[in-house]
Amino acid sequence: MTIVQALLLFVSGFLSGVVNAIAGGGTFLTFGAMTLGGLPPIVANATSSIIQFPGYITSALAYAKEIRADRRNAIVLGIISAIGGLAGALLLLSLSNPSFRAMVPWLLIAATVIFAAGPLLKPKARSDEHRIGPLGVASQMVTSVYGGFFGAGMGIMMLAVLGLATGGGYHRLNALKNFISIVIAAIAIAVFTAGGVVSWLHAAIMVPGAALGGYSGVCGARRVPQAIIRALVVAVGLLLAAYYFFTG
């Protein structure tokens, strides 16, 4: 790896942290940067999970009080999500790079559509909190399988699912989402590490960039309209999907 390549990876990690702090969607940048740099898609996907992981932890810590207050649902959802995340990660490892490569443009389009529809999927404030039922269990299982397998747009999907499954206000749902994201990512990272599909060199370069970007993004969130960042991320997602379609 050249110094220029390492610098570009660091910058993409930094930008992913910025957009995650403002509107989400940093996975598009990290996954795209690594695959465009020649990393096999399965390795890029697995490594991207590690790059995003510190952000999940800090977000959950910010909601520690809400998570403790809703520990019953958190435990149930955590167990469901651990099972689904494990299934999704194992499913990814069962594929060859060419097989996963053929799926990438479709996954990117699906994730881009979910991301673009984020404002519409954002749950409205509700007071009818309730325990998760069978439909909620099934929906969260599907979401967590997707999260363990690919992950882009997972947070938006979970907010929508949790809003229907348990009700409650936005911050309660966001707290649960952040906790569940840690569970899914931790399980997936353990599987990917055991499967030997993580590029630790790329992770070591991009994680510090993502951390700095996340901190800087908090300042940017107060100045840059989310609509602008969201439009840029959607454009990146569509461009990457087009690239994989036409080079497949």
Side-chain angles (χ1 to χ4, degrees):
M1 183 185 299
T2 66
I3 294 177
V4 173
Q5 289 174 323
L7 181 60
L8 290 175
L9 289 172
F10 180 85
V11 170
S12 67
F14 176 84
L15 292 176
S16 77
V18 171
V19 300
N20 275 338
I22 297 175
T27 300
F28 289 103
L29 300 177
T30 54
F31 177 78
M34 286 185 281
T35 53
L36 293 176
L39 210 60
I42 289 179
V43 178
N45 186 46
T47 306
S48 190
S49 298
I50 294 175
I51 296 166
Q52 307 303 323
F53 190 65
Y56 295 150
I57 294 177
T58 54
S59 297
L61 288 175
Y63 277 110
K65 181 179 178 180
E66 288 82 359
I67 293 171
R68 286 195 299 268
D70 202 14
R71 64 173 62 88
R72 185 184 295 273
N73 273 317
I75 292 172
V76 172
L77 289 164
I79 294 171
I80 296 168
S81 300
I83 296 171
L86 176 63
L90 290 174
L91 177 61
L92 179 67
L93 287 188
S94 71
L95 299 175
S96 64
N97 273 296
S99 298
F100 182 64
R101 171 68 174 73
M103 298 173 65
V104 164
W106 299 104
L107 289 169
L108 285 170
I109 287 177
T112 302
V113 170
I114 293 169
F115 181 78
L120 300 177
L121 297 175
K122 183 178 178 179
K124 297 180 180 179
R126 297 168 54 185
S127 59
D128 57 332
E129 297 181 12
H130 51 272
R131 294 184 184 179
I132 189 168
L135 180 59
V137 169
S139 300
Q140 180 56 34
M141 180 65 73
V142 171
T143 303
S144 57
V145 169
Y146 171 81
F149 182 76
F150 190 56
M154 174 183 69
I156 295 169
M157 291 174 63
M158 278 199 290
L159 280 176
V161 167
L162 292 172
L164 296 173
T166 70
Y170 172 75
H171 290 293
R172 172 179 181 265
L173 300 177
N174 205 32
L176 287 172
K177 182 264 291 182
N178 289 334
F179 171 74
I180 295 167
S181 295
I182 290 178
V183 174
I184 295 173
I187 293 291
I189 288 170
V191 172
F192 297 151
T193 301
V197 293
V198 174
S199 173
W200 293 105
L201 175 60
H202 287 75
I205 293 171
M206 299 177 81
V207 165
L212 289 172
Y215 182 82
S216 302
V218 173
C219 300
R222 299 188 179 98
R223 297 178 175 85
V224 182
Q226 285 198 12
I228 294 177
I229 300 298
R230 187 173 294 276
L232 290 174
V233 173
V234 168
V236 169
L238 292 177
L239 287 172
L240 284 173
Y243 170 82
Y244 289 115
F245 268 125
F246 292 117
T247 60

